[in-house]
Short mmCIF file of all heavy atoms in Angstrom, two decimals:
data_model
loop_
_atom_site.label_atom_id
_atom_site.label_comp_id
_atom_site.label_asym_id
_atom_site.label_seq_id
_atom_site.Cartn_x
_atom_site.Cartn_y
_atom_site.Cartn_z
N ARG A 34 -20.67 -14.78 -0.83
CA ARG A 34 -19.56 -13.95 -1.36
C ARG A 34 -20.13 -12.69 -2.01
O ARG A 34 -19.41 -11.72 -2.32
CB ARG A 34 -18.79 -14.76 -2.38
CG ARG A 34 -17.98 -15.82 -1.78
CD ARG A 34 -17.42 -16.82 -2.77
NE ARG A 34 -16.50 -16.13 -3.65
CZ ARG A 34 -15.12 -16.30 -3.53
NH1 ARG A 34 -14.66 -16.99 -2.53
NH2 ARG A 34 -14.34 -15.72 -4.35
N GLY A 184 -3.21 -18.49 4.84
CA GLY A 184 -3.78 -19.06 6.01
C GLY A 184 -5.23 -19.37 5.83
O GLY A 184 -5.79 -19.03 4.82
N SER A 185 -5.84 -20.01 6.76
CA SER A 185 -7.33 -20.32 6.63
C SER A 185 -8.14 -19.52 7.63
O SER A 185 -9.39 -19.64 7.50
CB SER A 185 -7.46 -21.82 6.90
OG SER A 185 -7.07 -22.12 8.21
N SER A 186 -7.57 -18.80 8.50
CA SER A 186 -8.40 -18.17 9.53
C SER A 186 -8.88 -16.85 9.13
O SER A 186 -8.05 -16.02 8.61
CB SER A 186 -7.59 -18.00 10.82
OG SER A 186 -8.29 -17.23 11.79
N TYR A 193 -4.52 -10.76 4.15
CA TYR A 193 -3.94 -10.48 2.85
C TYR A 193 -4.63 -11.25 1.75
O TYR A 193 -5.12 -12.35 1.89
CB TYR A 193 -2.46 -10.88 2.88
CG TYR A 193 -1.62 -10.23 3.97
CD1 TYR A 193 -1.56 -10.82 5.21
CD2 TYR A 193 -0.99 -9.00 3.80
CE1 TYR A 193 -0.74 -10.30 6.22
CE2 TYR A 193 -0.29 -8.37 4.77
CZ TYR A 193 -0.13 -9.04 5.95
OH TYR A 193 0.57 -8.40 7.03
N TRP A 376 -15.48 -8.77 -5.83
CA TRP A 376 -14.62 -9.91 -5.85
C TRP A 376 -13.78 -10.06 -7.16
O TRP A 376 -14.30 -9.48 -8.15
CB TRP A 376 -15.50 -11.20 -5.66
CG TRP A 376 -16.16 -11.18 -4.30
CD1 TRP A 376 -17.35 -10.67 -4.04
CD2 TRP A 376 -15.65 -11.73 -3.07
NE1 TRP A 376 -17.62 -10.79 -2.69
CE2 TRP A 376 -16.59 -11.43 -2.11
CE3 TRP A 376 -14.43 -12.38 -2.74
CZ2 TRP A 376 -16.39 -11.72 -0.75
CZ3 TRP A 376 -14.25 -12.75 -1.44
CH2 TRP A 376 -15.25 -12.44 -0.46
N PRO A 377 -12.72 -10.66 -7.11
CA PRO A 377 -11.86 -10.75 -8.27
C PRO A 377 -12.50 -11.34 -9.54
O PRO A 377 -12.19 -10.93 -10.63
CB PRO A 377 -10.63 -11.56 -7.87
CG PRO A 377 -10.94 -12.19 -6.55
CD PRO A 377 -12.05 -11.33 -5.96
N ARG A 407 0.09 -17.32 -5.51
CA ARG A 407 -1.09 -16.72 -4.89
C ARG A 407 -1.18 -17.18 -3.48
O ARG A 407 -1.07 -18.41 -3.14
CB ARG A 407 -2.32 -17.08 -5.67
CG ARG A 407 -3.65 -16.75 -5.04
CD ARG A 407 -4.81 -17.40 -5.82
NE ARG A 407 -6.10 -17.29 -5.13
CZ ARG A 407 -6.45 -18.18 -4.17
NH1 ARG A 407 -5.73 -19.20 -3.80
NH2 ARG A 407 -7.63 -17.97 -3.59
N VAL A 409 -3.94 -16.21 0.10
CA VAL A 409 -4.97 -15.47 0.67
C VAL A 409 -5.16 -15.99 2.09
O VAL A 409 -5.01 -17.13 2.36
CB VAL A 409 -6.28 -15.48 -0.11
CG1 VAL A 409 -6.03 -14.88 -1.47
CG2 VAL A 409 -6.83 -16.85 -0.11
N THR A 410 -5.55 -15.06 3.01
CA THR A 410 -5.74 -15.39 4.41
C THR A 410 -6.98 -16.24 4.53
O THR A 410 -7.08 -17.26 5.21
CB THR A 410 -5.93 -14.16 5.28
OG1 THR A 410 -4.73 -13.37 5.04
CG2 THR A 410 -5.93 -14.49 6.68
N ASN A 411 -8.13 -15.81 3.90
CA ASN A 411 -9.37 -16.54 3.92
C ASN A 411 -10.16 -16.14 2.69
O ASN A 411 -10.66 -15.04 2.60
CB ASN A 411 -10.20 -16.23 5.18
CG ASN A 411 -11.47 -17.03 5.35
OD1 ASN A 411 -11.98 -17.46 4.31
ND2 ASN A 411 -11.95 -17.19 6.51
N ASN A 412 -10.35 -17.02 1.78
CA ASN A 412 -10.91 -16.60 0.48
C ASN A 412 -12.42 -16.40 0.57
O ASN A 412 -13.05 -16.00 -0.45
CB ASN A 412 -10.64 -17.65 -0.62
CG ASN A 412 -11.25 -19.01 -0.44
OD1 ASN A 412 -11.95 -19.23 0.60
ND2 ASN A 412 -11.06 -19.92 -1.31
N MET A 413 -13.05 -16.62 1.67
CA MET A 413 -14.41 -16.29 1.87
C MET A 413 -14.53 -14.80 2.36
O MET A 413 -15.69 -14.31 2.42
CB MET A 413 -15.14 -17.17 2.82
CG MET A 413 -15.13 -18.69 2.40
SD MET A 413 -15.81 -18.88 0.65
CE MET A 413 -17.48 -18.25 0.80
N CYS A 414 -13.46 -14.25 2.72
CA CYS A 414 -13.41 -12.77 3.15
C CYS A 414 -12.86 -11.88 2.08
O CYS A 414 -13.43 -10.85 1.73
CB CYS A 414 -12.59 -12.66 4.46
SG CYS A 414 -13.17 -13.58 5.81
N TYR A 415 -11.77 -12.41 1.46
CA TYR A 415 -11.01 -11.64 0.40
C TYR A 415 -10.35 -12.67 -0.50
O TYR A 415 -9.89 -13.74 0.03
CB TYR A 415 -9.98 -10.67 1.00
CG TYR A 415 -10.58 -9.79 2.09
CD1 TYR A 415 -10.26 -10.04 3.42
CD2 TYR A 415 -11.37 -8.76 1.83
CE1 TYR A 415 -10.70 -9.29 4.43
CE2 TYR A 415 -11.95 -7.96 2.85
CZ TYR A 415 -11.60 -8.21 4.16
OH TYR A 415 -12.04 -7.46 5.13
N ASP A 416 -10.12 -12.39 -1.74
CA ASP A 416 -9.59 -13.34 -2.67
C ASP A 416 -8.76 -12.65 -3.76
O ASP A 416 -8.75 -11.40 -3.86
CB ASP A 416 -10.66 -14.16 -3.28
CG ASP A 416 -10.24 -15.54 -3.76
OD1 ASP A 416 -9.02 -15.91 -3.56
OD2 ASP A 416 -11.13 -16.40 -4.15
N LEU A 417 -8.06 -13.42 -4.50
CA LEU A 417 -7.18 -12.88 -5.60
C LEU A 417 -7.07 -13.97 -6.67
O LEU A 417 -6.99 -15.21 -6.42
CB LEU A 417 -5.78 -12.62 -5.07
CG LEU A 417 -4.73 -11.98 -6.02
CD1 LEU A 417 -3.78 -11.14 -5.27
CD2 LEU A 417 -3.90 -13.18 -6.69
N GLY A 433 -9.72 -8.63 -3.96
CA GLY A 433 -10.66 -7.93 -3.16
C GLY A 433 -11.72 -8.76 -2.49
O GLY A 433 -11.67 -9.96 -2.58
N GLY A 434 -12.69 -8.07 -1.89
CA GLY A 434 -13.75 -8.77 -1.23
C GLY A 434 -14.40 -7.83 -0.22
O GLY A 434 -13.91 -6.71 0.06
N ASN A 438 -19.31 -11.58 6.10
CA ASN A 438 -20.55 -12.08 5.40
C ASN A 438 -20.84 -13.48 6.16
O ASN A 438 -20.13 -13.80 7.10
CB ASN A 438 -20.40 -12.20 3.97
CG ASN A 438 -19.24 -13.13 3.50
OD1 ASN A 438 -19.28 -14.37 3.82
ND2 ASN A 438 -18.21 -12.63 2.84
N SER A 440 -20.26 -16.40 5.43
CA SER A 440 -19.16 -17.34 5.35
C SER A 440 -17.82 -16.75 5.86
O SER A 440 -16.77 -17.41 5.82
CB SER A 440 -18.96 -17.87 3.92
OG SER A 440 -20.08 -18.54 3.49
N CYS A 441 -17.89 -15.50 6.31
CA CYS A 441 -16.73 -14.82 6.95
C CYS A 441 -17.24 -14.11 8.20
O CYS A 441 -17.40 -12.93 8.28
CB CYS A 441 -16.19 -13.80 5.90
SG CYS A 441 -14.79 -12.78 6.55
#
Side-chain angles (χ1 to χ4, degrees):
R34 292 165 66 98
S185 59
S186 172
Y193 305 91
W376 297 89
R407 169 191 171 276
V409 298
T410 305
N411 183 336
N412 67 358
M413 298 310 296
C414 303
Y415 311 104
D416 207 353
L417 181 148
N438 60 65
S440 296
C441 178

